[in-house]
Amino acid sequence: MSSSIKIESVVKEKNRMGECPVWEERESALIYVDINSQKVCRWSPVTNEVQSVSVDARVGSVALRQCGGYVIALGTRFAFLDWDTQVVTTILELEQDKPNNRFNDGKVDPKGRFFAGTMAEETAPGVRASRQGALYTLFPDHSVIKQLDQVDISNGLDWSLDHRTFFHIDSLAYAVHAFSYDVHTGKIACPKLLYHLEKEEQMPDGMCIDAEGKLWVACIDGGRVIRIDPETGKRIQTVRLPTPRITSCCFGGKDYSEMYVTSAYDGLDEATLAKEPHAGEIFKVILNEQLPSFPES
């Protein structure tokens, strides 16, 4: 038997800035956001239908609630989203002194706390105030703590399988950092550089962890996701996708054997867009699909 990688575009409805994919078991669906279109979206692989709820600010991340519905980080506030009624209920406003900031990527930790970080928006092409972002944790009792300060673009995040390490990306550091993580308190400490991206990998964006404890990092403008071994800090695999602006990834499907990868078309000029028919689509990647190997005749 030999292994191969199968890549398929499954969501053709294009996203300006598709991000934060999350597999929702109870709906057998993929949840994600289109940040710049200010939408939370849900795609069903059964019907191939995309449903969406529009919100009143750029929405950086979405996560599942145990009781149903979602928690979202939009603008500079945490909120609940009731999918059926489309009602958004604010939990807490943050960073009201930073009008150019907004929430970006977020994810729920092993104990149900929602970690999400902020960033400064560009005030002109390529112009952004530095180190204006932070990383916050929203607890189930609705209290919030600030975990990190002076972040440029708080981005991909996940936890080790033993719940002892927290992984985090600040995109403009072009690196993944590992922190010690206390699962009982939710606190992080002692950051260490885990992996610095190489030039052709471009900028790190979203991230997820697989069943073997390896990290997958989406490389925006690098057209790929890379697999990193946290034990060695080495890249061990590269999967190239058919569009450059690769934004995030997650595992899902019936047995979580499929990786879903989001992308964006915002940031591409007209000439580039004409050559990138898959920009903004969502891809399904099946890794190590077993193929029969035949003896040579």
Side-chain angles (χ1 to χ4, degrees), residues 16 46 50 73 75 85 111 127 140 169 192 196 204 274:
R16 290 179 60 189
V46 177
V50 176
T85 64
K111 291 289 188 182
V127 179
I169 289 169
K192 291 177 184 164
H196 194 278

Side-chain angles (χ1 to χ4, degrees), residues 35-48:
I35 297 175
N36 295 347
S37 295
Q38 301 183 183
K39 291 193 301 190
V40 181
C41 305
R42 188 161 80 186
W43 170 72
S44 164
V46 177
T47 64
N48 200 31

Side-chain angles (χ1 to χ4, degrees), residues 136-165:
Y136 298 92
T137 301
L138 171 68
F139 287 75
D141 67 0
H142 302 181
S143 62
V144 173
I145 62 169
K146 185 188 286 188
Q147 299 265 20
L148 294 175
D149 213 345
Q150 297 195 337
V151 176
D152 274 313
I153 300 178
S154 185
N155 226 320
L157 62 167
D158 219 324
W159 291 263
S160 61
L161 301 185
D162 66 5
H163 301 166
R164 296 176 66 179
T165 306

Side-chain angles (χ1 to χ4, degrees), residues 269-284:
D269 59 35
E270 278 186 38
T272 308
L273 264 177
K275 292 181 271 184
E276 296 293 345
H278 297 294
E281 296 178 1
I282 297 177
F283 306 92
K284 179 172 74 175

Side-chain angles (χ1 to χ4, degrees), residues 40-272:
V40 181
C41 305
R42 188 161 80 186
W43 170 72
S44 164
V46 177
T47 64
N48 200 31
E49 189 182 9
V50 176
Q51 300 173 312
S52 64
V53 173
S54 293
V55 294
D56 66 3
R58 290 185 174 180
V59 53
S61 43
V62 58
L64 313 179
R65 296 185 70 195
Q66 199 169 33
C67 60
Y70 308 102
V71 59
I72 58 176
L74 75 164
T76 52
R77 67 192 199 266
F78 286 116
F80 293 133
L81 169 63
D82 184 306
W83 189 262
D84 296 327
T85 64
Q86 303 195 1
V87 170
V88 174
T89 306
T90 297
I91 304 164
L92 189 69
E93 293 258 13
L94 295 157
E95 299 191 357
Q96 289 171 290
D97 59 330
K98 295 182 176 180
N100 287 326
N101 272 23
R102 68 160 172 84
F103 266 110
N104 201 38
D105 211 350
K107 194 168 283 183
V108 172
D109 84 349
K111 291 289 188 182
R113 311 171 187 106
F114 185 40
F115 281 55
T118 58
M119 57 175 278
E121 292 270 41
E122 290 185 345
T123 51
V127 179
R128 186 194 314 275
S130 65
R131 301 195 171 277
Q132 294 299 300
L135 177 70
Y136 298 92
T137 301
L138 171 68
F139 287 75
D141 67 0
H142 302 181
S143 62
V144 173
I145 62 169
K146 185 188 286 188
Q147 299 265 20
L148 294 175
D149 213 345
Q150 297 195 337
V151 176
D152 274 313
I153 300 178
S154 185
N155 226 320
L157 62 167
D158 219 324
W159 291 263
S160 61
L161 301 185
D162 66 5
H163 301 166
R164 296 176 66 179
T165 306
F166 170 69
F167 302 104
H168 180 254
I169 289 169
D170 181 347
S171 288
L172 293 186
Y174 291 86
V176 181
H177 283 85
F179 296 73
S180 62
Y181 167 71
D182 186 328
V183 71
H184 304 294
T185 65
K187 298 280 181 68
I188 64 172
C190 307
K192 291 177 184 164
L193 176 66
L194 178 65
Y195 181 82
H196 194 278
L197 272 76
E198 296 179 12
K199 190 176 180 182
E200 73 272 10
E201 292 166 346
Q202 297 284 344
M203 186 187 290
D205 198 331
M207 175 169 60
C208 69
I209 197 163
D210 65 26
E212 295 176 3
K214 308 296 192 285
L215 297 172
W216 290 89
V217 176
C219 301
I220 193 160
D221 297 323
R224 67 192 73 187
V225 290
I226 56 174
R227 192 182 191 215
I228 296 162
D229 186 342
E231 297 295 315
T232 63
K234 304 288 187 195
R235 183 190 67 230
I236 51 177
Q237 192 174 356
T238 298
V239 176
R240 287 177 172 80
L241 281 300
T243 191
R245 307 217 78 202
I246 297 301
T247 54
S248 194
C249 50
C250 78
F251 284 90
K254 191 174 59 180
D255 53 3
Y256 287 84
S257 63
E258 302 160 348
M259 182 164 62
Y260 290 96
V261 180
T262 51
S263 73
Y265 70 79
D266 272 9
L268 298 176
D269 59 35
E270 278 186 38
T272 308

